[in-house]
Amino acid sequence: MTDPSISPSPPSPADIYDMYIEPNRSTIVNGIDPREYFDQLRELRVLTGDDTELIMNKYHTRRTRASFMLDILQTRGNSGCQHFLNVMEYHNPDTYQVITGETPREPPLDFKVTRFSCNMNLANNLPETIRSLQEQAQGNVAMKQKLEELETGLQFAQNDKKELENETEILRIENQSLSHRLQALERNCSSIVEENSKLKDASMEYLKNSLEYTREREDFRERWSNCQYKLDQRDREIIELKGALTDALCPKCIQDETDTCLQPMPAKVPAALGCDVLQERQEVEKQILKEERDEAQQNCEDIMERMDKLEVQLSDYQDKCVELEARVRALTKERKKLTTFYIDRKKKVEEYFDRIKELENEKKIVSKMCN
């Protein structure tokens, strides 16, 4: 492996990420602190300032930050992954040896090992250190007993850590499932709200049409009333004309309708307009008015039928709106429950990570006591 500050050799045809990093993801996440890698990886143009800021702000534990950094490395190609392994060779040689199977080289003289790397390397070599001390303390019974107690405590801490990691993985899977369910509910709620909005728009459209039909019905009613009024007025005019004609006829013509009246007609009744012509004209006008009235009445009945149908449709849409609102309330309630459950699970995961940190601190204390 080359020095991190030197450009790496051309990558092999195999994908370095799939070959070394992804199969050993859990080992890498548990064994590194991503903050130790930021400066060198930024210097090598593998990470950017936005990447490091996103890693630090989005996640709040060492393991989650390391996991997210590996996700970013997956998008940087073989060159970025090779730079990452080169940096790991000096910072975390034990982890490097586990995932690559190669013996790490000694770091340069000016390379500064961080506290986390020292503690992690010490923790990884702690079982061998305890066995070495046990061999040296063969004649000292008290020291041997103390070392056995330390080894038992270390074994218990390691087992507890594994259990916590398993529980954390289970909780992570459950959180992902809850997130998917929450997203599905959000999509379902959005579709229901959109459908409800469409139904409301359709309901408003039907209300507008209903108002228009109501205005048309009132117009036809008014027209029908006008026609009826004109018809009554024509009837009165016919009666008046009949009375005028009767007054205009002489007594002899009234007594004998077959004789021809030789007396002159009054000036108020035209001589050229006979009684039959006036009656025929009045009957025609009366018939026209009756037809207009019947047509207006038929239009009113048609509008009433259409309004009845619209009222039925409007009632159906209102019932559907009520059902959709009930579904929206139920889904909103379920979404709140899932959100609360998701938050509780997330807090529990953070508590597990805090517990893992405590176990790591206890591990460091044990290692100091051994030294």
Side-chain angles (χ1 to χ4, degrees):
M1 305 298 290
T2 60
D3 188 84
S5 60
I6 303 174
S7 299
S9 58
S12 59
D15 192 341
I16 296 177
Y17 183 88
D18 293 335
M19 186 174 180
Y20 294 111
I21 297 176
E22 187 63 28
N24 300 286
R25 188 181 188 90
S26 178
T27 303
I28 297 173
V29 168
N30 291 327
I32 70 170
D33 186 351
R35 291 175 296 183
E36 298 178 350
Y37 290 68
F38 285 167
D39 292 337
Q40 287 181 279
L41 291 180
R42 285 186 62 181
E43 183 180 346
L44 296 169
R45 299 292 189 271
V46 178
L47 297 178
T48 64
D50 293 337
D51 293 333
T52 57
E53 184 176 355
L54 180 62
I55 293 171
M56 295 302 295
N57 294 334
K58 188 174 182 179
Y59 298 97
H60 305 288
T61 61
R62 179 183 61 82
R63 288 179 175 81
T64 54
R65 288 169 177 168
S67 179
F68 187 61
M69 185 177 72
L70 295 184
D71 293 337
I72 295 177
L73 283 175
Q74 189 177 8
T75 65
R76 299 300 190 262
N78 281 348
S79 177
C81 295
Q82 186 66 60
H83 282 307
F84 171 72
L85 293 178
N86 293 342
V87 176
M88 183 192 294
E89 184 180 11
Y90 292 155
H91 278 288
N92 302 96
D94 294 331
T95 304
Y96 173 84
Q97 186 172 6
V98 169
I99 67 174
T100 62
E102 300 177 3
T103 302
R105 295 180 301 125
E106 291 294 329
L109 296 177
D110 58 347
F111 181 79
K112 294 181 180 180
V113 181
T114 60
R115 180 179 298 178
F116 177 83
S117 298
C118 291
N119 292 333
M120 184 57 68
N121 294 333
L122 182 60
N124 292 331
N125 297 323
L126 191 56
E128 296 181 2
T129 304
I130 292 177
R131 284 194 296 271
S132 176
L133 291 174
Q134 284 178 343
E135 293 175 359
Q136 296 176 8
Q138 291 293 334
N140 193 334
V141 178
M143 185 176 178
K144 184 178 180 180
Q145 184 178 0
K146 185 66 175 178
L147 288 173
E148 289 176 354
E149 292 176 357
L150 289 174
E151 186 176 11
T152 303
L154 176 63
Q155 186 65 33
F156 174 79
Q158 290 176 342
N159 294 334
D160 193 17
K161 179 182 176 182
K162 289 181 180 179
E163 291 178 0
L164 288 174
E165 289 176 351
N166 293 333
E167 291 179 3
T168 302
E169 183 66 20
I170 293 172
L171 289 174
R172 186 183 66 81
I173 295 173
E174 290 180 355
N175 283 338
Q176 289 180 350
S177 176
L178 287 174
S179 299
H180 294 327
R181 289 182 60 190
L182 189 61
Q183 292 174 359
L185 281 175
E186 288 177 350
R187 289 193 295 270
N188 196 6
C189 283
S190 300
S191 62
I192 289 175
V193 170
E194 184 178 357
E195 185 178 355
N196 191 14
S197 177
K198 290 180 180 179
L199 287 174
K200 286 183 178 179
D201 294 339
S203 178
M204 291 298 296
E205 187 67 24
Y206 279 115
L207 285 174
K208 291 179 181 178
N209 293 335
S210 178
L211 291 174
E212 292 178 0
Y213 290 141
T214 303
R215 286 194 293 269
E216 289 181 6
R217 184 183 65 179
E218 294 299 327
D219 293 339
F220 280 119
R221 281 182 177 177
E222 186 176 356
R223 290 174 60 186
W224 182 83
S225 298
N226 293 333
C227 290
Q228 187 67 34
Y229 175 76
K230 290 180 180 179
L231 186 61
D232 294 338
Q233 187 177 7
R234 295 300 184 191
D235 289 336
R236 287 193 297 271
E237 290 178 357
I238 290 172
I239 293 171
E240 291 176 358
L241 287 173
K242 283 182 178 180
L245 288 171
T246 303
D247 295 338
L249 293 175
C250 63
K252 292 181 179 181
C253 293
I254 296 173
Q255 292 176 2
D256 188 4
E257 295 179 355
T258 59
D259 295 336
T260 304
C261 180
L262 301 175
Q263 297 181 1
M265 297 293 292
K268 62 180 180 180
V269 179
L273 185 61
C275 181
D276 295 336
V277 176
L278 286 174
Q279 288 182 355
E280 184 178 356
R281 178 181 176 184
Q282 294 297 328
E283 289 295 332
V284 170
E285 292 180 353
K286 187 177 179 180
Q287 184 65 29
I288 292 172
L289 290 173
K290 284 183 179 180
E291 290 177 357
E292 290 181 357
R293 184 189 64 182
D294 294 339
E295 183 181 359
Q297 188 173 1
Q298 183 64 36
N299 289 332
C300 287
E301 291 176 357
D302 293 340
I303 290 174
M304 290 295 294
E305 285 185 13
R306 292 168 69 183
M307 287 189 66
D308 292 337
K309 292 180 181 179
L310 285 174
E311 287 178 357
V312 173
Q313 292 180 356
L314 182 61
S315 178
D316 294 338
Y317 278 117
Q318 288 175 347
D319 293 339
K320 288 182 180 180
C321 286
V322 172
E323 293 177 0
L324 285 173
E325 288 175 355
R327 287 179 61 191
V328 169
R329 287 194 295 270
L331 289 172
T332 303
K333 188 176 180 181
E334 185 177 357
R335 179 182 175 184
K336 288 181 180 179
K337 289 182 180 179
L338 286 174
T339 303
T340 304
F341 185 70
Y342 177 77
I343 293 172
D344 293 339
R345 287 290 188 179
K346 189 174 181 180
K347 289 181 179 178
K348 194 170 182 181
V349 169
E350 291 177 355
E351 290 176 359
Y352 277 126
F353 279 124
D354 293 337
R355 177 58 180 161
I356 290 172
K357 284 185 178 180
E358 292 177 1
L359 290 174
E360 289 178 350
N361 292 332
E362 292 178 2
K363 193 174 180 181
K364 293 176 184 178
I365 295 173
V366 170
S367 63
K368 290 180 181 179
M369 292 176 63
C370 292
N371 292 333

